Amino acid sequence: MAKIVVDVMLKPEILDPQGNAVASALPRLGFTFAKSVRQGKRFEIEIDGEPTAAQLAEVEKAAEILLSNPVIENFVVRVEK
Amino acid sequence: MRVGVITFPGTLDDRDAARAVVAGGAEAVSLWHGDADLKSVDAVVLPGGFSYGDYLRCGAISRFAPVMQSVIEVANKGMPVLGICNGFQVLCESHLLPGALTRNSDLHFLCRDQEIEVINNQTAWTNSFKQGEKIVIPLKNGEGSFQCDDQTLLMLEGEGRVVARYVGENPNGSRNLIAGITNAKGNVVGLMPHPEHAINELTGPSAQGLGFFTSILNAMVK
């Protein structure tokens, strides 16, 4: 069994109010390391066996059609060992 | 004239939208998300709410509902379609309208009476208004910030496709104060604030929202 991970992030130019809220909460808790924070989504997809190139292409397609909105988001597909 | 009002799981404003359609002088026809049959309607309203619990992204799941496949087909052929709030989000996710609606810039769910200016009164849904007419209707949403890239924004502004703008302070971070837009043909309109809640002064801030529902009759008569 393998796990395919799709990370979806807002495009850099799109305002991320949630990330900004997290960034401003961190120093209030004494964490001063963050210059900025962006918040995204992570999808974990389990499949039987090792993923084939065709399966990964299908996941890419699904990420583009459903998991992300290409107008405001970018995504990255990777296989997690 | 028959105007369909779609109900998705989690839709809230279908009853008010149907009432507004009737108040505007048309027959309201209930349409169900799981049924691709549009029941011979002449126009469609996608009402507000939280379809599919806003899971994934607002409107992202609704886009693939059987009824939406029919709506996309007829909208591309010119049938008037109005998406209000969540309906606007569904229209953007369906690529019937450009751009996307994202979280309000201050993260608050807003629920208030909002003044908007009708910028384009040539659409199927806004021809009852004067150009530049200012009206007050409710605004109630958490993800109402209209976003798009610079090129799309220039196109919308250049082609006169901004239908309405917020008046005064920007309530949600929308680019260029955009409250509503239309497609190139002017038959599909997406609007963040809620005209269907402002058809009677007894229950709304004004009766000015009714203009959207009388416009559709004018559009059909022409």
Side-chain angles (χ1 to χ4, degrees):
Chain A
M1 198 176 67
K3 190 191 278 178
I4 302 170
V5 175
V6 182
D7 286 315
V8 178
M9 294 298 296
L10 281 174
K11 288 182 177 173
E13 68 270 24
I14 301 288
L15 181 72
D16 178 12
Q18 292 184 102
N20 290 346
V22 173
S24 62
L26 285 171
R28 288 204 296 273
L29 300 171
F31 298 114
T32 54
F33 50 78
K35 185 164 167 252
S36 74
V37 178
R38 305 282 290 174
Q39 182 177 323
K41 292 190 189 93
R42 172 188 164 110
F43 299 87
E44 296 184 345
I45 302 160
E46 284 181 347
I47 60 160
D48 285 325
E50 286 303 302
T52 62
Q55 278 175 323
L56 285 173
E58 284 277 279
V59 173
E60 289 268 350
K61 201 170 158 192
E64 196 177 327
I65 293 173
L66 180 65
L67 304 184
S68 77
N69 177 351
V71 176
I72 50 168
E73 293 167 327
N74 295 323
F75 66 86
V76 179
V77 176
R78 61 192 160 84
V79 181
E80 196 160 88
K81 300 290 174 198
Chain B
M1 154 161 193
R2 292 159 62 82
V3 178
V5 178
I6 301 178
T7 301
F8 297 98
T11 294
L12 297 180
D13 301 327
D14 42 349
R15 295 288 183 99
D16 271 22
R19 252 184 98 236
V21 164
V22 172
E27 182 189 348
V29 179
S30 293
L31 300 176
W32 183 240
H33 68 104
D35 188 350
D37 181 8
L38 294 182
K39 300 184 182 169
S40 313
V41 295
D42 305 295
V44 175
V45 176
L46 282 73
F50 299 86
S51 60
Y52 295 91
D54 278 351
Y55 288 175
L56 191 58
R57 294 177 307 278
C58 304
I61 311 284
S62 310
R63 169 196 169 188
F64 297 102
V67 75
M68 280 311 297
Q69 306 319 305
S70 306
V71 168
I72 291 167
E73 193 184 322
V74 296
N76 283 327
K77 287 180 187 159
M79 186 187 281
V81 176
L82 173 66
I84 303 165
C85 190
N86 189 221
F88 186 5
Q89 294 161 342
V90 175
L91 292 178
C92 286
E93 284 283 344
S94 305
H95 308 306
L96 285 172
L97 292 174
L101 284 310
T102 63
R103 194 65 66 105
N104 291 347
S105 49
D106 63 2
L107 287 173
H108 291 148
F109 187 99
L110 290 179
C111 185
R112 68 186 197 197
D113 300 333
Q114 174 71 43
E115 190 175 21
I116 62 169
E117 180 179 357
V118 178
I119 306 292
N120 177 345
N121 68 340
Q122 303 296 308
T123 78
W125 299 95
T126 54
N127 59 58
S128 290
F129 297 101
K130 294 187 204 71
Q131 195 189 347
E133 187 169 343
K134 290 180 180 170
I135 61 173
V136 176
I137 59 177
L139 176 70
K140 51 160 191 140
N141 56 69
E143 306 206 15
S145 178
F146 180 78
Q147 300 296 321
C148 62
D149 59 35
D150 293 344
Q151 200 184 346
T152 306
L153 192 65
L154 279 175
M155 177 192 73
L156 288 172
E157 294 286 358
E159 295 178 2
R161 287 168 55 183
V162 175
V163 168
R165 257 188 254 280
Y166 300 112
V167 175
E169 201 184 334
N170 196 331
N172 49 27
S174 291
R175 297 200 75 179
N176 288 18
L177 290 163
I178 287 173
I181 57 170
T182 185
N183 64 344
K185 281 185 194 159
N187 62 307
V188 179
V189 170
L191 193 68
M192 248 309 133
H194 290 263
E196 81 282 17
H197 295 328
I199 60 160
N200 187 317
E201 280 166 15
L202 180 68
T203 51
S206 72
Q208 293 167 316
L210 195 57
F212 288 86
F213 302 94
T214 54
S215 292
I216 187 60
L217 288 181
N218 299 336
M220 285 292 136
V221 171
K222 269 180 204 166

